[in-house]
Structure formats: C-alpha cells, structure tokens
Amino acid sequence: MSTAEKETLGFQTEAKQMLQLMIHSMYSNKEIFLRELVSNASDAADKLRYEALADGALYENDPDLRIRITLDKEANTLTLSDNGIGMSREEVVNNLGTIARSGTAEFLKNLSGDGKKDSQLIGQFGVGFYSAFIVAERVEVFTRRAGLTAADAVHWESTGEADFSIESCEKADRGTTVVLHLREEDTEFADDWRVRSIIKKYSDHISIPVQMLENVPADKDVEEQKVAEFEAVNSATALWTRSRSEVTDDEYQAFYKHVSHDFSPALHWSHNKVEGKLEYTSLLYLPGQAPMDLWNRDAARGLKLYVQRTFIMDDAEQFLPLYLRFVKGVIDSNDLSLNVSREILQQDPAVDAMKSALTKRVLDMLGKLAKSDADKYQQFWKAFGQVLKEGPAEDFSNKEKIAKLLRFATTHDNNAEQTHSLEDYVTRMKEGQAKIYYVVGESHRTASSSPHLEVFRKKGIEVLLLSERVDDWLMNHLSEFDGKAFLDVGRGELDLGDLEGEEEKKAQEVLAEEHKDLVERVNAVLSEKVEKVRVTSRLTESPACLVVTEDDMGAQMRRMLEAAGQALPPSKPIFELNPEHPLVLKLDKEADEDRFADLVDVLFDQAHLAEGAQLEDPAGYVHKLNKLLLELST
C-alpha cells in the first residue's frame, strides 16, 4: 500500500481520559472488544445493503457480504476485515478522531473510581471501536468507501495516547480492515480457539458470516497440503427471523448488546411475529439501566428497521411514541417498500398501524412484568419511571394502561421509594372515599411533611406523595383512575365528602363564624399578597398554610416554568388559618396593629417555606422574626 498526505491530529483531552480509562479499567472483561468490532463491521455491511438499493454499482461485483478475522501468532496481531460500506477520509476523521461526541464530559462526571462499575458506562456512549485499545498497544485501520477509487483509501493509526495519524493509501477492495497489534499480556487473542469461542459467544446472531481460516492438520504423507479456506464461525442467521423456541436467553442477550451497544444485560424482552393484514416481526427490549442521553429528547432513538430482512435505518423513531424512547430492538416488515425513507415513513398508514400495535405490545410487556416479577419491574421503574410519566399527556388512547403501570410513594408507609400502584391505592381506600388524594412537593421530604396532610393523617386517609419535576404535569393529564377522580390536597376548598361527618362540617362553620373578625384583620394585612383569607379545615398541627385556587397552576409547576424563564400571569394564593392553634389564638388577642402585621407576615412566610418555596424577601423575614423573638424574651 502506497501512502501520501500524512497528517497527525490530536485527540480531545476528554477523549484521552476515556481511552486511558478503557485501557486500564476493563481488565475484567477484555474479550468484549471483539464483539464491538464485529458489531461495527456488521453495521457497515447493513449500510452498504441499504445504499446499494439505489446504486447497485456499490457492490463492485462483490455482493457476498462477510467479516473475516485472521490471526498471526508470530506478529501477535488480530486483523478484522469487512467488505461493507467503508469510510472516506472525512468519515474517518469524524468517526475515529472523536469519542462520544454527545456525552464524553457527562461520562467522565459519572465515573465512580471502581473499574468494573465504570466499564459498564462505556457502552452508553457509542465508543465500541475504542475498546480495541483494551488489548492492543497500537491499532491500524485501512478503509475505502464503496464507490471511491483504490487511491482514495485511508490509513488511520494510533497508540491510544495523545494523537492519531491519517494518510492516503491504496486499497483495491472496498470496506474496512482493522489491525490490532496486541499487548504482550494479551497474546491469548491471537489464539484460534479462543477467538472462535468469543465469536460463538457474542456474535453468533450476526446475519452475515464471520469467517476464519479452517484448521488444516499437517499430513506428512501427503505431498500437496490442503490449502486452508475461510469458513463461517457463526450461524449467520438473523436472530429475529428464528422461532422463539429456538433462541436461548444468552442469544437474546447477545443480540441486545449488538443492537443497543449496551454493556449491561437487557432486563426483559418480547419477540413477536404478526401475520394477517400487516406482516412484521418485532423484537423489543427493556434495558436494565438508563442511558446518559435519556433526557435529551432530540437524541437518536428508535428501532432498527429492516424491510424484508434488508437493513433500512438505525433509529426509526416512527414506530414508538417518545415516552417509550428507552425501548431498543428490531422491526422487520414486509409491508413497506425497500426504498423507504424517513419522510415516507411519516406518511405511511401501515406505520401508524404498526406504531399502535407496538406501543400496546410494550405496555402489555410492562404490565406482565409488573405482575410476574415485582423486583424486576421496580428496577425498570427506577431507571425509566419518569419517562413513562410523560405517557398520559402524549398518548390519550393508552392512558388507562399507562396509569396501571405508574408507581408512587404514599403516606401508607412514608417511604421515598415509589412502589405503590394506583390499583394498590384503590384497594386501601376508606369506606365512602370517592377520590384519590395527592400532594405535590419540591422533594419527598417536603411532600411528606406538608401541612396539607395533617387532616388526612388524623383520619388515616392515604395520600400520594409526588416530588418529581414531571409529577405536576402528569396529574394535569390524569383526570381519574378506576372511576375515581384525582384531587390535589393543596388546591381549592377541601371537601372530604362522606369521610367527614355532619357534626364536623357544622363545627367548621361555627369556627369560621367565630373568627370572622380575625380573618378580616389578616386579610387587610395581606390584601396585596393573597386572593383571600379563610379558616382552614385541613390543619390540625400547623398555624397556617397556602392553598392554590381551583383554576390556578400548581405551585411546583409555576416555579419550574419561572425558573425556565417563561413569563406567567400573576397569581395569588389563598391563606388558610387554623384558629385553634396557640399562635393564631395569640394573634387574635394582639392589640398592637404593627406587631399584629409582623406576626401575620411571619406566618405567611412560614407557610411559603413549608411548601418548599423561596421567599421574596428572606432578609425581611429574618428581621421580623428576630424582632418578635427579642420582644418575647423581654
């Protein structure tokens, strides 16, 4: 191979750190480098198939796609070649010169210092090629993009340290050849039996043959020795086309790692073939852990799409709604044309029908998992529960199915872990209880200690404790469950219905009448800050609380939107007083109007703090509180 135009380029600082981590931390599972390189070669073959649909000349009279691995024990090298799409010089710089462009900094922030744990993060950043440096002290890549001339080939080389070199070279055949110059301590990966066993273990499902030279024993009695030929090591059958009964759990897990580039195993999967009006096969996986870009709604997502077993695209997002973006897998359809594009997919009625069916399949899979293995479902919920909570707003038709999958923390056990379903809540409802009660707070501690819960705790009524950013938004789209409406205990007038006796209701009316003058005095002080002041029916221990008006936005949602810089119309809360509290009784007897006003302001600010809000004038609050404390001590 002749070379020219050589240049040396440096890795990014973060990329160097990641390479060092991979080289020194993945000692426990070195063999995965081969799985990653075979997976990349398989993707290159898929991409060639797709581009060749429009331009058959890209096959260059070599339509039989394959991956070949050759070993040289003397030179201590492992070479992997494919005749897939290959790369141009620009693609080499973009793909091999930058690591984890979307999240290297995030990756480095999440390092724990534990090599085994840290190595599990690597698969979430699409850096499979760089796993070669786990076993290689130097890596060379020779590649030519299909359709370019032999002189347009590129030679890339790096030791995985500070930089890499790139130069032009001659390469007659299309595709990519990766040469690993193995470290002294990793000579095992130049052993034929060892490499064959790794391919069978991790890459048996690859749909193109992974070939190695057959073992030809030397025969002294024969003058002309048989020449070793390449033979397929893997079964080379698309896994999703096989019957479920033929596929082992290990094969399903290996295929998951291939399609997801995740180093950790899948939590659960569903393999299904549909025949009839629509014909397609789907293999859908639930990951065991959340990727770093889960909250980036613009990140690549979706299923690998095949049409009649021909690869079309990696991230076909049209087949599942956004709130199921964590699902990985494959869909192979017979009802779409081979020249399908993203634009055509968006207009195809068959896609809508498949999306509806696949969405229901995922939700049914989750429902079955929740019933059959509560611990596994809890693991799923910890990783993806907040994403699933986006569902009721996005998918009205499946709102009831999604609601059954939701999990909450509640006052039933006051545990911060979200383990209770709405069905659990309904079975524990009090006799005569017509509504599902919930409270929203900035954190679990704020929600569980909210003064709005006092009357519910006294009566033994269970309340959902909501503290995640998405919760207020979720409840705006969940109107009812099992015929029972949801009610925010911190909003509007509190009506417990049949849970409150006639005597209690009359007693409340009497209290309100008896303290009418106090309410008017307090209202005069807070007239610019509140909608109105009234006697409460919620509080048993606290002196006061703030309540959102019936039609107003929740306090948590308002704070979140304001923090995002969104302009909102002004809003005033309702201030509720507990007339039986000692502080309020003392307030009622206060004759000094200035001191009365200070006491009211302190109670108002304390009510703000109790719901996790920030005070507009914290210094003024401290000043008034100190002043009152000094007066009490003299």
Side-chain angles (χ1 to χ4, degrees):
M1 294 182 181
S2 62
T3 60
E5 300 174 40
K6 184 170 183 176
E7 59 179 321
T8 300
L9 303 170
F11 285 117
Q12 299 170 348
T13 304
E14 291 170 343
K16 284 189 282 185
Q17 289 177 267
M18 179 175 283
L19 279 169
Q20 290 306 305
L21 169 78
M22 295 184 75
I23 293 164
H24 298 298
S25 294
M26 293 201 63
Y27 54 83
S28 62
N29 195 19
K30 287 185 173 186
E31 63 189 30
I32 56 85
F33 82 90
L34 191 55
R35 183 193 75 197
E36 292 302 301
L37 294 182
V38 170
S39 185
N40 287 347
S42 172
D43 288 345
D46 282 342
K47 284 165 185 168
L48 175 64
R49 272 203 200 103
Y50 178 58
E51 291 196 21
L53 291 173
D55 183 3
L58 292 175
Y59 279 125
E60 301 178 4
N61 298 317
D62 181 18
D64 297 325
L65 299 173
R66 64 190 174 273
I67 300 166
R68 284 182 171 170
I69 297 173
T70 54
L71 308 171
D72 188 331
K73 276 197 170 183
E74 288 185 17
N76 200 26
T77 61
L78 180 152
T79 302
L80 186 145
S81 301
D82 69 67
N83 61 345
I85 193 67
M87 290 181 282
S88 65
R89 188 183 185 98
E90 183 182 0
E91 288 170 326
V92 168
V93 173
N94 287 340
N95 296 334
L96 304 188
T98 311
I99 298 180
R101 280 166 286 177
S102 63
T104 311
E106 187 66 27
F107 171 91
L108 294 167
K109 265 198 292 183
N110 281 274
L111 297 184
S112 65
D114 182 322
K116 289 186 181 180
K117 287 181 182 175
D118 289 345
S119 71
Q120 298 302 310
L121 292 170
I122 292 168
Q124 299 174 52
F125 286 89
V127 291
F129 167 77
Y130 297 94
S131 62
F133 288 104
I134 299 166
V135 298
E137 60 186 8
R138 181 163 60 95
V139 176
E140 292 183 90
V141 176
F142 300 90
T143 185
R144 175 171 72 77
R145 202 178 206 288
L148 299 181
T149 67
D152 290 319
V154 180
H155 175 209
W156 181 97
E157 183 176 1
S158 178
T159 58
E161 296 293 334
D163 52 35
F164 59 91
S165 66
I166 184 169
E167 57 189 325
S168 298
C169 68
E170 289 275 341
K171 190 174 187 294
D173 53 337
R174 68 165 191 272
T176 301
T177 297
V178 182
V179 183
L180 276 61
H181 299 267
L182 300 169
R183 300 175 191 280
E184 283 186 23
E185 65 268 27
D186 293 312
T187 54
E188 62 179 293
F189 297 110
D191 178 76
D192 183 86
W193 180 86
R194 178 79 167 101
V195 171
R196 283 172 182 268
S197 66
I198 295 170
I199 293 168
K200 288 295 290 181
K201 179 179 179 181
Y202 290 114
S203 305
D204 200 49
H205 59 274
I206 298 292
S207 58
I208 62 172
V210 181
Q211 301 175 339
M212 291 181 68
L213 285 169
E214 60 185 341
N215 290 311
V216 179
D219 190 343
K220 294 178 181 177
D221 298 329
V222 179
E223 284 186 23
E224 203 172 304
Q225 291 288 332
K226 181 185 175 185
V227 177
E229 295 181 355
F230 280 99
E231 61 179 356
V233 180
N234 64 326
S235 59
T237 304
L239 180 136
W240 65 89
T241 63
R242 292 159 57 189
S243 167
R244 281 179 296 188
S245 59
E246 296 174 6
V247 187
T248 66
D249 285 358
D250 287 343
E251 287 176 310
Y252 275 125
Q253 290 287 12
F255 186 69
Y256 166 71
K257 290 174 181 178
H258 168 64
V259 296
S260 67
H261 298 288
D262 187 353
F263 278 50
S264 58
L267 190 67
H268 199 59
W269 58 85
S270 172
H271 186 183
N272 187 49
K273 186 172 184 179
V274 175
E275 294 176 329
K277 190 175 179 182
L278 285 173
E279 288 192 10
Y280 63 89
T281 299
S282 64
L283 176 50
L284 308 174
Y285 288 94
L286 297 177
Q289 61 182 9
M292 296 298 178
D293 59 1
L294 181 66
W295 296 107
N296 178 4
R297 290 168 73 95
D298 297 323
R301 63 181 180 86
L303 306 175
K304 266 185 180 287
L305 173 63
Y306 289 78
V307 173
Q308 298 161 35
R309 301 187 192 179
T310 300
F311 171 78
I312 301 297
M313 64 182 73
D314 261 320
D315 305 302
E317 74 276 6
Q318 292 86 350
F319 294 93
L320 285 172
L322 194 57
Y323 72 92
L324 296 179
R325 59 185 176 274
F326 50 81
V327 176
K328 303 292 183 184
V330 166
I331 180 167
D332 189 345
S333 170
N334 291 332
D335 294 298
L336 299 172
S337 60
L338 279 171
N339 64 347
V340 71
S341 67
R342 290 185 186 274
E343 290 71 27
I344 294 170
L345 279 177
Q346 287 166 354
Q347 300 159 8
D348 195 322
V351 173
D352 291 334
M354 280 188 266
K355 179 178 181 178
S356 176
L358 289 169
T359 300
K360 285 178 180 171
R361 174 151 290 278
V362 173
L363 296 177
D364 287 344
M365 172 170 51
L366 287 169
K368 287 174 184 173
L369 180 64
K371 287 179 182 175
S372 64
D373 193 333
D375 291 339
K376 254 190 185 179
Y377 187 77
Q378 201 56 36
Q379 185 184 340
F380 159 78
W381 182 259
K382 281 182 182 177
F384 302 107
Q386 289 193 60
V387 185
L388 198 62
K389 285 179 179 180
E390 297 172 10
E394 292 180 25
D395 189 357
F396 183 82
S397 62
N398 287 304
K399 190 186 288 189
E400 191 175 331
K401 277 180 180 282
I402 300 165
K404 288 181 179 180
L405 297 171
L406 301 177
R407 295 294 181 267
F408 299 93
T410 86
T411 56
H412 180 68
D413 57 10
N414 279 325
N415 196 319
E417 195 171 352
Q418 298 172 18
T419 57
H420 302 279
S421 69
L422 291 173
E423 288 172 310
D424 294 337
Y425 181 100
V426 170
T427 61
R428 295 192 292 258
M429 284 174 67
K430 292 278 185 184
E431 190 177 341
Q433 184 178 340
K435 293 176 180 173
I436 298 172
Y437 298 104
Y438 70 91
V439 66
V440 181
E442 290 292 303
S443 65
H444 174 75
R445 179 172 288 184
T446 303
S448 62
S449 58
S450 170
H452 296 123
L453 298 177
E454 290 175 4
V455 71
F456 293 91
R457 291 195 191 279
K458 181 181 177 182
K459 291 179 175 291
I461 303 168
E462 187 174 356
V463 180
L464 304 178
L465 303 173
L466 310 183
S467 56
E468 291 177 340
R469 289 168 67 88
V470 69
D471 284 338
D472 212 345
W473 186 65
L474 163 70
M475 301 316 289
N476 285 331
H477 295 90
L478 267 185
S479 54
E480 63 170 34
F481 178 79
D482 196 23
K484 295 167 178 63
F486 287 92
L487 184 69
D488 183 350
V489 301
R491 184 188 296 273
E493 289 271 8
L494 180 63
D495 183 5
L496 295 176
D498 293 342
L499 295 172
E500 199 169 39
E502 285 300 319
E503 288 184 10
E504 289 177 291
K505 291 177 183 176
K506 284 179 182 176
Q508 287 294 330
E509 290 173 9
V510 171
L511 270 177
E513 186 61 35
E514 286 177 357
H515 296 88
K516 195 157 76 170
D517 292 342
L518 173 63
V519 167
E520 288 178 3
R521 284 179 75 194
V522 173
N523 196 60
V525 175
L526 298 176
S527 58
E528 293 184 8
K529 297 179 180 178
V530 301
E531 181 74 23
K532 65 178 175 179
V533 180
R534 66 186 178 206
V535 170
T536 189
S537 60
R538 303 167 209 266
L539 304 178
T540 60
E541 298 172 10
S542 300
C545 68
L546 296 177
V547 177
V548 177
T549 58
E550 198 71 54
D551 302 320
D552 205 355
M553 185 183 297
Q556 188 200 42
M557 179 69 79
R558 173 171 285 275
R559 286 194 291 272
M560 202 162 62
L561 292 174
E562 285 173 346
Q566 192 161 331
L568 298 171
S571 170
K572 293 180 180 180
I574 295 167
F575 188 54
E576 291 193 350
L577 283 169
N578 177 4
E580 297 178 308
H581 193 278
L583 273 177
V584 179
L585 290 171
K586 191 174 180 67
L587 181 69
D588 197 11
K589 295 172 184 174
E590 181 57 58
D592 186 327
E593 290 302 321
D594 289 338
R595 188 170 173 178
F596 177 84
D598 285 347
L599 279 166
V600 169
D601 282 338
V602 166
L603 285 178
F604 179 75
D605 286 343
Q606 283 181 343
H608 259 296
L609 291 171
E611 64 172 30
Q614 297 287 326
L615 298 182
E616 284 186 18
D617 183 14
Y621 167 73
V622 171
H623 175 74
K624 286 173 184 173
L625 186 61
N626 288 343
K627 180 182 170 187
L628 291 168
L629 287 172
L630 281 171
E631 289 173 358
L632 282 171
S633 61
T634 55

